[in-house]
Amino acid sequence: MPISGVVIKCQMERLGELERELHRPGSVEISNVLGDGSLIAVIESASLEEEISLVKNIMAVQGVLDVRVAYHNFEDQLMAE
Amino acid sequence: MSGAEEETKRVSRRHFLKGSLALPLALTVAGGLLTVPSLRRADARGFYLRPPGALAEKCFLGACIRCGKCVQACPYRAIRLAETDAGVAIGTPFIIAREEPCQLCTDLPCIKSCPSGALDKGVTEVEKVRMGTAVIIDRENCLSIRGLRCEVCYRNCPLIDRAITIEPRHNPRTGVHTIMEPVVHRDKCVGCGICEKSCVREQPVIVVQRTPLPQQDAYEF
Amino acid sequence: MALSRRDFLKASAAAAALAAATGGRLGATDVHAAEGGIRWGKAPCRFCGTGCGVLVGVKDGRIVATKGDPAAPVNKGLNCIKGYFLSKVLYGKDRLTKPLIRKGNKMVEASWDEAMDLIASKFRESIAKHGPDSVAMFGSGQWTVFEGYAAAKLFKAGIGTNNIEPNARFCMASAVTGFMTTFNSDEPMGCYDDLDLGDTYFLWGANMAECHPVLFSRLIDNRLKNPKVKIIDFGTRFTRTSQMADKYIRFNPQTDLALLNAIAHIIVRDRLYDENFIRKHVVFKKGKTNIGYGLEDKFKFADDPKPMTFDEYREFLKPYTPEYVSKLSGVPAKTIEEVARLYADKSRKVNSLWTMGFNQHVRGTWVNNLVYNVHLLTGKICKPGENPMSLTGQPSACGTAREVGTFTHRLPADMVVMNEEHRKKAAEIWGVPAEKIPAKPTYHATEMFRALDRGDIKVLWVQVTNPFQSAPNLSRYRKGARKGGDRFIIVSDIYPTRSTELADVVLPSASWVEKEGFFGNAERRGQQWFKMVEPPGEARNDLWQTMELARRLGHGNLFPYKYVEKEMFEEYRKFTLGQGKDLAPYEAYTKARGLRWPVVNGKETLWRYTEGYDPYVKAGEGVKFYKNKPNDYKAVIWARPYEPAAEAPDRQYPFWLCTGRVLEQWHTGTMTGRVPELKRAYGGAVCEIHPEDAKRLKVKHGDKVRVTSRRGSIVLTADLRGRGKAEKGNVFVAFFDENKMINELCIDAYCPISGEPDYKKCAVKLEKA
């Protein structure tokens, strides 16, 4: 099960709303809100494919400017291959 | 206390205190913070920069006997062994380009030292090495693409004018200058990571990623 | 997966993402920097002679950001990678913040009063015992106009010695003597607009791609727009400039003299010259030959110019046949013919650009003369888009060293101490008796350090430069500086350097926007800036330091200003008015993004000596070299022969050594070396070797090689894959690295006319280390 840490760049005005909107315990957990308009989130998913689609979905949310992966763990994935 | 510090505390409270993982946590916080992201953020699909001549990842994991000989052979200490927090089979060799990239020694001592064949002895010339491919992952933050005279990655490329070339084009913003864009050529880039190390941005905008496989199609140019 | 493991991974993920977002520094406070509250001011870049404009962002008394100034005509908002990191160069951890006085082997913190008292007492003592020529000042082309002006005034009009020199002597003195001997006025007729307007560019010994990055990007853009544009790079080393040029022509070191004469030979032989232009604007002259190399102490040279006719000049050129010069230079005769025809092509707008390959040359003045010859023969000069252009490497080599005249023989605005009229005029503006200014020049830079070594100079003050890394034959002068006796060395700088380590007193200086300043760039553009931040600790402006010494020596009356910078500038400006070097009132510079002199009635001059552009040229005159009164307002074509280098490879030392710069580091690296990003991008000097030479020596890329000359020896990493490709029999090493001081190997031979040393040619041997 891949786990990622991502930085979500948001429009300043929408930062508060997005923090609530994007937070989905068990898949997307917002851990930090930064002063420069970034959200720090941890993404958990069942597979790489699911994770990629999760990131894509976040990217599509209005007010989200950019999503960058800063950390990715996929150890289990490798073992499974 | 600044906002960021407070937020760090929040992270600690929420997650770190739950577990009993003080040591790896310390590793992650001190230095690991920079190393782990630069190892992984290059490619969310789980790409590791392996030493020159490494077999395809799955075969490599099978063939590598975790002896650490390549680590000893590397005069630049670029090759290191994966530790527990690296998220990969412990003890396999890898390179964190941003910290110490492969300097592409002419005689490739790491390959020579490998007893198991995990590093392919058939690779005898640096031009034949394929560790990965450099990619400019963040064009907006690339100073050269923004028109500044940077091109540090290009000038540091050991295969300068082959693996990276400069594609000049008119800069419409000033009207009289040239944008000198570094362009990576996949067929020549060996993936040593020297460009990634030398990038002057806080987060490198050029990083080594897994070399994309050629795709077959029925169309010919 | 165990829950704890999973939690750990999640925490790591969050922490890593946080680190990525905050740049790895938890608790980063600059997250809020973007939120405003930044005050922006204009300044020219601190580095090379290009003179890019930058906007400096200040918040809470600190520079927090810089950006290229979109309103600056030179760079229009762009910078090179050094300029990009300007905000960091002042904030190295080891900034000097307190005066230091040597006590034995230790440097001990002292108050400004203690330090200045000590310095003043040493000056007084030395002057009383050994006369005013026993004290000296060594400054640089990084001095602001005010700093250079105050130092020149104090030494020439106060202390009464011509012992003042800039490191510009190491850098473009040959350009000065080239301009003076050909046109009788320093600095170029053209400007950077020629980079946009011409179509044929010859680069001579200039790695513009790395050393004038923003100008090069302008030149390349011209070619992108106009397919006719050709860039031809003459060099002894394949550089990034060669890579982007249309043609790279490699020649054997020193043979540029012969090549330029061969080009003139063909132009004259085939009557490709502009007869009308020659008749109206040119005289021919020859000078002494076999003029020596200045290797012995107290070497003296005076040229003895003799007029000659065009026919005699034609005779002089006879031996420089393409075939003969081809053998000498290694350039095919056919190529020389082609190049000459390109130079003479009436449908082409031809420019020559050069830097240290010409200037750092034992015949530097000659080779400058020779390139003007070609432009004068063809009449391709003083026209928009068609000019010879000498580029400079320091931010105010032109504005301060050359225009203010901080050389031993110079006074402001092209005047010299040897000329009685000039001394009178200077003395009048400075308010001192004319006898005060000594009529004889003393030491030029190399001779100054020789005099220090011999003990003829006792007290030396170094400001804004690093001669104990940058001088040639460095070991001799470093040892000389520490010989003891009455020697006393003061170094003002912002960081510990290879020069401060030899000093008896180290003074902490303010830099760049920590003080009000004025620089003049290579296209005659003067640029002013205001002080924007306080210098750290007790660091103080070099201008204040000089005036403080003046006050303590009883010369305080030379600096009677309230608003020092402005009033000093207005005083200096008096030298320039009516001389074709007119500067605008100070006010004007505070508003403009620089102005190119002569500025007459508020209008700057793009092309000098040219009707319609230069207000000194009357209607109907077309072109007039109005500064050259001694030669009937004509420019001089000089018959200057080929003569060999001071030291050439032989069996014992079989390689040529050339030194120079790289894009990421500037000069001796004291500023750029404090920027971690630049250090990572190019951290240490390496030795470029041709792969075939390396193979013979059994040296691989990355191996250590020992490079040895008759003067020094150094171990470097061999570079066979680098950005610069050495030609066979040549090696190249950059000089910025304070841990690998290549100048220890350089020969201190110099051009007898300019006094500029040849850093580009000496003989070395290589061994695998």
Side-chain angles (χ1 to χ4, degrees):
Chain A
M1 277 179 65
I3 296 177
S4 303
V6 298
V7 184
I8 307 172
K9 272 264 184 205
C10 307
Q11 286 173 350
M12 266 312 218
E13 321 72 85
R14 294 255 300 137
L15 193 62
E17 287 167 63
L18 285 170
E19 182 190 0
R20 289 186 296 278
E21 217 172 280
L22 296 176
H23 193 66
R24 297 262 184 287
S27 68
V28 180
E29 295 182 19
I30 306 293
S31 68
N32 303 65
V33 184
L34 298 190
D36 70 339
S38 304
L39 299 175
I40 305 298
V42 176
I43 299 181
E44 291 174 77
S45 55
S47 66
L48 269 179
E49 288 66 34
E50 189 190 323
E51 185 191 348
I52 290 160
S53 76
L54 262 173
V55 170
K56 278 191 181 151
N57 287 345
I58 296 174
M59 205 100 82
V61 174
Q62 208 194 337
V64 171
L65 303 174
D66 185 24
V67 181
R68 282 192 218 166
V69 179
Y71 179 97
H72 185 72
N73 188 289
F74 49 91
E75 190 172 328
D76 317 318
Q77 199 74 19
L78 262 182
M79 297 297 178
E81 267 177 29
Chain B
M1 191 196 283
S2 78
E5 278 170 39
E6 203 165 339
E7 284 145 12
T8 318
K9 284 268 165 75
R10 254 171 67 194
V11 178
S12 313
R13 273 197 298 276
R14 190 176 290 180
H15 296 287
F16 288 166
L17 297 180
K18 274 190 197 170
S20 55
L21 290 145
L23 181 66
L25 170 61
L27 275 175
T28 317
V29 171
L33 273 182
L34 284 175
T35 68
V36 175
S38 51
L39 171 63
R40 293 185 179 143
R41 75 186 292 272
D43 189 342
R45 290 160 188 267
F47 169 67
Y48 286 84
L49 194 55
R50 298 295 186 189
L55 305 174
E57 185 70 11
K58 245 197 276 179
C59 305
F60 175 80
L61 285 177
C64 174
I65 56 168
R66 280 82 161 155
C67 66
K69 287 225 162 102
C70 54
V71 176
Q72 288 171 332
C74 177
Y76 298 96
R77 295 167 185 249
I79 306 175
R80 52 184 87 199
L81 291 184
E83 292 177 28
T84 44
D85 64 326
V88 68
I90 297 166
T92 56
F94 71 102
I95 290 169
I96 300 175
R98 185 65 168 167
E99 291 187 359
E100 191 53 63
C102 170
Q103 296 290 344
L104 287 180
C105 305
T106 317
D107 48 356
L108 296 162
C110 47
I111 298 183
K112 283 192 186 142
S113 75
C114 178
S116 72
L119 305 181
D120 181 359
K121 290 216 163 37
V123 178
T124 54
E125 288 161 53
V126 293
E127 285 82 2
K128 299 273 163 63
V129 170
R130 287 293 176 277
M131 305 160 73
T133 302
V135 180
I136 296 181
I137 53 163
D138 186 358
R139 295 178 59 83
E140 282 73 17
N141 278 314
C142 172
L143 298 179
S144 304
I145 294 175
R146 278 160 62 178
L148 276 76
R149 284 297 318 282
C150 175
E151 313 119 36
V152 164
C153 53
Y154 161 71
R155 283 190 308 279
N156 279 295
C157 176
L159 293 158
I160 186 168
D161 296 325
R162 288 181 282 169
I164 307 183
T165 59
I166 292 292
E167 304 284 321
R169 64 172 190 279
H170 174 65
N171 184 343
R173 211 180 99 204
T174 77
V176 294
H177 294 96
T178 313
I179 293 172
M180 300 205 184
E181 179 175 346
V183 175
V184 181
H185 300 275
R186 195 192 280 180
D187 53 332
K188 293 283 174 357
C189 176
V190 299
C192 65
I194 290 174
C195 53
E196 181 174 337
K197 160 98 187 271
S198 67
C199 178
V200 300
R201 300 312 309 267
E202 207 151 285
Q203 300 297 325
V205 302
I206 184 164
V207 299
V208 180
Q209 297 187 341
R210 174 179 290 158
T211 306
L213 293 170
Q215 300 193 42
Q216 300 232 322
D217 55 31
Y219 185 88
E220 272 189 42
F221 291 97
Chain C
M1 193 190 288
L3 192 63
S4 63
R5 168 83 178 145
R6 188 163 185 78
D7 270 355
F8 162 65
L9 287 174
K10 283 168 69 176
S12 301
L18 185 62
T22 58
R25 295 184 306 277
L26 296 174
T29 49
D30 56 356
V31 173
H32 303 281
E35 291 170 14
I38 299 178
R39 221 163 25 84
W40 295 91
K42 71 162 178 96
C45 175
R46 177 65 182 73
F47 297 118
C48 78
T50 299
C52 294
V54 291
L55 294 171
V56 184
V58 175
K59 195 182 177 192
D60 302 329
R62 229 180 124 84
I63 303 169
V64 292
T66 56
K67 55 185 174 192
D69 183 351
V74 174
N75 55 315
K76 298 184 196 263
L78 301 181
N79 277 130
C80 75
I81 199 63
K82 295 184 294 294
Y84 176 80
F85 284 112
L86 270 168
S87 65
K88 292 193 173 185
V89 300
L90 303 181
Y91 297 128
K93 282 197 279 292
D94 53 347
R95 258 310 278 271
L96 296 168
T97 56
K98 273 189 164 38
L100 303 169
I101 296 177
R102 181 176 295 275
K103 300 259 156 76
N105 277 334
K106 269 202 181 138
M107 298 305 286
V108 180
E109 285 185 4
S111 71
W112 272 104
D113 256 337
E114 279 174 81
M116 291 311 299
D117 278 344
L118 178 63
I119 294 167
S121 75
K122 291 287 177 184
F123 266 86
R124 265 197 307 271
E125 208 179 290
S126 190
I127 293 166
K129 259 210 240 165
H130 310 285
D133 285 350
S134 68
V135 299
M137 171 76 97
F138 189 73
S140 85
Q142 302 164 59
W143 256 338
T144 65
V145 161
F146 319 122
E147 290 161 349
Y149 185 80
K153 192 175 180 187
L154 170 61
F155 275 70
K156 298 196 180 219
I159 296 171
T161 173
N162 285 320
N163 273 357
I164 176 167
E165 275 281 296
N167 76 334
R169 180 74 75 175
F170 291 153
C171 173
M172 23 82 343
S174 302
V176 178
T177 46
F179 277 116
M180 293 307 289
T181 47
T182 302
F183 306 102
N184 200 39
S185 179
D186 193 12
E187 300 201 21
M189 48 291 305
C191 59
Y192 296 160
D193 297 52
D194 293 330
L195 297 172
D196 314 329
L197 300 172
D199 54 34
T200 310
Y201 296 87
F202 290 96
L203 311 183
W204 291 89
N207 181 9
M208 258 182 108
E210 289 201 62
C211 304
H212 297 92
V214 172
L215 293 183
F216 190 67
S217 122
R218 196 160 158 178
L219 177 59
I220 295 296
D221 197 56
N222 183 3
R223 187 176 63 186
L224 289 173
K225 289 176 197 148
N226 178 2
K228 193 180 175 188
V229 171
K230 267 196 162 61
I231 301 169
I232 295 110
D233 179 40
F234 276 95
T236 60
R237 163 186 178 238
F238 185 93
T239 64
R240 291 303 97 203
T241 309
S242 324
Q243 172 67 25
M244 293 197 83
D246 295 274
K247 194 173 174 72
Y248 163 62
I249 303 176
R250 67 150 292 276
F251 63 91
N252 298 330
Q254 188 77 4
T255 62
D256 39 9
L257 295 159
L259 279 166
L260 282 157
N261 275 331
I263 291 166
H265 170 100
I266 294 161
I267 289 170
V268 170
R269 182 195 68 195
D270 297 351
R271 298 183 182 277
L272 303 170
Y273 47 83
D274 182 338
E275 206 159 350
N276 195 30
F277 188 90
I278 294 173
R279 204 174 40 243
K280 274 200 198 143
H281 304 299
V282 171
V283 294
F284 295 87
K285 282 191 180 186
K286 60 184 171 190
K288 283 188 188 166
T289 56
N290 225 336
I291 61 177
Y293 300 102
L295 280 164
E296 49 299 343
D297 278 36
K298 300 185 187 174
F299 175 89
K300 285 269 185 293
F301 174 80
D303 207 359
D304 182 22
K306 295 260 176 15
M308 68 196 299
T309 63
F310 193 178
D311 283 336
E312 283 166 333
Y313 175 66
R314 202 189 300 264
E315 278 304 305
F316 160 80
L317 290 175
K318 275 257 163 78
Y320 294 97
T321 61
E323 294 71 29
Y324 164 67
V325 172
S326 171
K327 275 194 204 111
L328 201 61
S329 65
V331 180
K334 191 167 147 271
T335 307
I336 303 175
E337 294 272 359
E338 283 165 11
V339 165
R341 270 164 216 291
L342 264 183
Y343 255 115
D345 188 338
K346 294 209 164 31
S347 75
R348 285 192 167 270
K349 294 184 166 184
V350 180
N351 296 270
S352 301
L353 299 148
W354 64 95
T355 327
M356 292 307 127
F358 266 10
N359 296 346
Q360 296 178 336
H361 193 308
V362 285
R363 296 291 177 266
T365 310
W366 287 9
V367 77
N368 271 266
N369 290 147
L370 291 178
V371 77
Y372 295 134
N373 286 357
V374 175
H375 282 268
L376 289 167
L377 283 170
T378 53
K380 292 174 187 275
I381 191 165
C382 305
K383 293 175 191 156
E386 235 176 333
N387 281 296
M389 173 68 151
S390 147
L391 299 166
T392 62
Q394 293 187 92
S396 201
C398 287
T400 305
R402 292 162 73 164
E403 291 161 28
V404 173
T406 64
F407 294 86
T408 182
H409 66 297
R410 292 199 115 195
L411 291 165
D414 280 350
M415 299 198 298
V416 289
V417 296
M418 297 83 88
N419 183 312
E420 194 184 348
E421 289 301 311
H422 293 175
R423 289 199 303 278
K424 268 190 189 151
K425 181 174 176 182
E428 199 189 313
I429 294 174
W430 285 342
V432 296
E435 316 81 78
K436 187 78 204 184
I437 305 170
K440 265 178 90 173
T442 52
Y443 310 106
H444 61 69
T446 306
E447 289 293 343
M448 190 179 262
F449 289 101
R450 288 178 181 174
L452 179 71
D453 177 37
R454 290 193 306 269
D456 296 343
I457 286 177
K458 313 283 183 198
V459 181
L460 173 71
W461 188 348
V462 176
Q463 287 189 343
V464 216
T465 189
N466 191 7
F468 295 109
Q469 181 178 341
S470 67
N473 191 11
L474 193 56
S475 304
R476 173 180 175 190
Y477 305 119
R478 285 180 65 83
K479 275 186 214 134
R482 293 304 327 150
K483 270 187 181 168
D486 291 341
R487 287 179 191 77
F488 191 80
I489 296 171
I490 305 119
V491 177
S492 301
D493 212 315
I494 65 170
Y495 290 113
T497 67
R498 298 310 299 262
S499 296
T500 60
E501 72 185 5
L502 301 182
D504 297 286
V505 174
V506 175
L507 299 176
S509 289
S511 179
W512 197 42
V513 297
E514 293 166 355
K515 60 193 178 190
E516 188 161 331
F518 193 103
F519 281 163
N521 80 350
E523 58 160 354
R524 296 174 276 111
R525 184 186 296 275
Q527 308 199 69
Q528 183 272 358
W529 73 92
F530 287 112
K531 177 174 171 175
M532 299 174 205
V533 292
E534 287 297 327
E538 294 173 26
R540 303 198 75 149
N541 194 345
D542 296 75
L543 174 62
W544 177 87
Q545 296 174 21
T546 302
M547 293 194 302
E548 193 58 25
L549 174 68
R551 202 173 61 77
R552 282 161 203 259
L553 293 179
H555 299 303
N557 57 321
L558 291 174
F559 306 102
Y561 321 112
K562 280 201 250 356
Y563 180 173
V564 179
E565 287 85 353
K566 185 175 176 210
E567 289 168 48
M568 188 181 274
F569 187 87
E570 292 300 341
E571 178 187 305
Y572 162 53
R573 186 175 165 241
K574 288 184 199 158
F575 282 95
T576 66
L577 298 178
Q579 302 303 312
K581 308 210 92 170
D582 315 51
L583 297 173
Y586 194 62
E587 263 320 281
Y589 292 101
T590 63
K591 295 181 192 113
R593 295 311 207 259
L595 294 167
R596 285 167 282 193
W597 59 259
V599 187
V600 177
N601 298 325
K603 220 177 135 256
E604 61 168 353
T605 300
L606 274 65
W607 290 279
R608 285 174 92 192
Y609 312 129
T610 311
E611 183 183 335
Y613 294 100
D614 188 332
Y616 282 86
V617 180
K618 290 191 207 81
E621 285 180 330
V623 167
K624 189 177 182 189
F625 295 106
Y626 55 84
K627 290 289 286 179
N628 209 349
K629 196 175 165 199
N631 289 303
D632 204 17
Y633 307 109
K634 291 179 175 180
V636 183
I637 286 186
W638 285 93
R640 304 288 204 192
Y642 164 79
E643 284 181 7
E647 186 183 73
D650 53 21
R651 287 179 67 140
Q652 208 185 344
Y653 297 93
F655 288 89
W656 288 105
L657 166 68
C658 180
T659 67
R661 286 184 182 168
V662 294
L663 202 159
E664 294 84 349
Q665 299 281 350
W666 191 75
H667 208 253
T668 54
T670 56
M671 291 181 285
T672 45
R674 260 83 186 176
V675 179
E677 289 87 347
L678 294 177
K679 232 183 143 98
R680 189 171 62 209
Y682 199 102
V686 293
C687 181
E688 288 174 9
I689 308 175
H690 190 276
E692 285 181 31
D693 291 331
K695 205 172 164 190
R696 217 159 23 80
L697 294 158
K698 300 197 169 41
V699 168
K700 295 189 305 291
H701 173 83
D703 284 351
K704 297 278 182 246
V705 281
R706 177 168 288 284
V707 188
T708 308
S709 79
R710 291 182 174 85
R711 294 151 295 276
S713 188
I714 190 174
V715 174
L716 293 158
T717 304
D719 183 7
L720 279 70
R721 303 170 177 160
R723 56 180 73 190
K725 317 259 182 232
E727 292 292 351
K728 258 185 271 179
N730 290 252
V731 295
F732 175 88
V733 182
F735 75 99
F736 72 88
D737 189 343
E738 63 176 13
N739 297 313
K740 304 267 181 203
M741 297 199 295
I742 191 65
N743 287 9
E744 290 184 344
L745 277 63
C746 291
I747 191 167
D748 53 347
Y750 53 76
C751 168
I753 301 174
S754 70
E756 179 165 346
D758 193 329
Y759 290 91
K760 302 290 187 189
K761 293 170 222 100
C762 72
V764 295
K765 63 179 170 190
L766 303 183
E767 296 151 294
K768 193 169 172 176

